[in-house]
Amino acid sequence: MGGVNHSEFAAFLKSRRDRVRPADVGLPTGPRRRVPGLRREEVAQLAGLSADYYTELERGRGAQPSAQVLTALARALRLNGDERDHLFHLADRPVPPVTHGPAAQVQPALLGLLDRLATTPAQVITDLHQTLVQNELAAALLGRPPAVRGPAASFVHRWFTDPDARAVYPPEDHPHHSRVFVADLQAVAARRGGDTEVRRMVAALRRHSEEFATLWDTHDVALRRTDHKRIVHPALGVIELDCHSLFSEDGRQRLLWFSAPPGTEGAAQLELLSVIGTQDMTADENSTSP
């Protein structure tokens, strides 16, 4: 590897920043804006970076950015697959493998909606329940997804193979979620035409979980569109919320968001969650649930 191409990296960042309009990411478009696209501090905020750090990157200075930083920048700047790969090349980092086909790149329409849901927990997942991106409230509610690839990246896979993954729901609710997960996977498998990824997941789950095998053989089919959930939070206890789903046009990704009717205990707990954030999170990261 030849090292970071600082000047080209900086120029590419600026060109992409100039292209993204504030409305694309849920920001107000005031009359006093002096730049055609986003401000540097806005990109930094969207990527979860400090404004000073991002400014150094765009000035062609600083150390080599990590793969995690590059991925965050690619999402914040709405880069397509080729642009994301180019960003990694300029930073002299290996391009991450595309392990889940088209679903690995968050679809811009869902990402734009996610940016507008700043006051409610929300995240984008694949049809196999792999978390692609989540806002801070979703991380505070559910924990962050484990840094794993392959089948274990799917919450459905962890649900039937890792007992710790079930801690996010009260034990008495587990049978319901098991049934819903399997029925949803049946629908996904049918829509995908039984592709290799789904076949391997189903075969592995049948081997490792008698519960999954029994439910799979019922052939119940139902995409999970809405659900009422009780989520166990380490600081706030059990939070009752409604979970809503918005599907991408091709069905490969879903935007999930959680809400509670005004005046309910769940609504009050969500307000507390926005104050607590992730600072008191003690749950295992593997408990992240779609």
Side-chain angles (χ1 to χ4, degrees):
M1 289 187 161
V4 182
N5 189 330
H6 288 286
S7 60
E8 289 294 327
F9 183 82
F12 186 63
L13 282 181
K14 185 178 185 306
S15 71
R16 301 304 89 182
R17 174 169 65 86
D18 290 344
R19 185 189 60 176
V20 182
R21 297 297 180 260
D24 296 338
V25 294
L27 295 173
T29 56
R32 296 174 178 257
R33 301 186 72 91
R34 293 187 244 173
V35 294
L38 299 179
R39 300 185 178 104
R40 286 173 175 168
E41 59 269 24
E42 290 170 340
V43 176
Q45 180 181 0
L46 290 170
L49 307 173
S50 73
D52 289 342
Y53 177 68
Y54 178 78
T55 298
E56 289 296 296
L57 289 178
E58 202 173 286
R59 288 176 176 170
R61 302 171 186 165
Q64 181 187 32
S66 67
Q68 183 179 6
V69 166
L70 295 173
T71 299
L73 287 172
R75 287 173 176 164
L77 294 169
R78 302 300 187 265
L79 303 188
N80 62 32
D82 291 334
E83 291 170 330
R84 183 205 68 153
D85 292 353
H86 185 60
L87 187 71
F88 274 80
H89 286 310
L90 292 175
D92 197 34
R93 291 284 186 190
V95 176
V98 180
T99 55
H100 307 300
Q105 184 75 21
V106 182
Q107 297 195 13
L110 297 185
L111 199 54
L113 288 171
L114 178 68
D115 289 331
R116 288 166 168 79
L117 294 173
T119 60
T120 190
Q123 59 187 19
V124 178
I125 67 171
T126 71
D127 54 356
L128 296 183
H129 295 256
Q130 299 142 335
T131 302
L132 298 177
V133 62
Q134 59 184 177
N135 64 17
E136 288 303 309
L137 275 178
L141 177 67
L142 304 167
R144 299 193 185 278
V148 294
R149 293 180 178 175
S154 164
F155 183 75
V156 173
H157 184 276
R158 298 196 302 276
W159 178 261
F160 289 102
T161 60
D162 180 4
D164 290 340
R166 298 194 172 202
V168 72
Y169 297 130
E172 57 270 28
D173 295 351
H174 291 179
H176 163 75
H177 291 294
S178 294
R179 290 192 300 271
V180 171
F181 281 136
V182 174
D184 184 87
L185 186 58
Q186 283 274 16
V188 170
R191 184 183 49 75
R192 283 208 193 186
D195 67 12
T196 301
E197 186 180 16
V198 176
R199 287 201 309 270
R200 287 178 177 171
M201 176 178 286
V202 171
L205 289 176
R206 287 183 69 94
R207 289 194 305 269
H208 289 99
S209 171
E210 182 178 347
E211 179 191 23
F212 176 87
T214 299
L215 289 171
W216 187 260
D217 288 340
T218 66
H219 300 284
D220 290 341
V221 180
L223 282 174
R224 191 173 200 169
R225 292 183 172 88
T226 60
D227 202 355
H228 185 76
K229 295 187 176 186
R230 298 195 303 157
I231 296 172
V232 180
H233 186 273
L236 300 177
V238 176
I239 307 176
E240 291 200 33
L241 299 171
D242 294 316
C243 178
H244 313 274
S245 299
L246 177 66
F247 292 75
S248 62
E249 189 172 350
D250 63 3
R252 295 290 294 268
Q253 295 182 8
R254 308 170 188 186
L255 172 65
L256 304 183
W257 71 98
F258 299 84
S259 66
T264 63
E265 184 179 2
Q269 288 171 305
L270 280 184
E271 289 188 15
L272 282 174
L273 186 69
S274 66
V275 176
I276 294 173
T278 58
Q279 62 185 359
D280 289 329
M281 290 296 292
T282 57
D284 191 317
E285 285 187 344
N286 289 353
S287 65
T288 299
S289 162

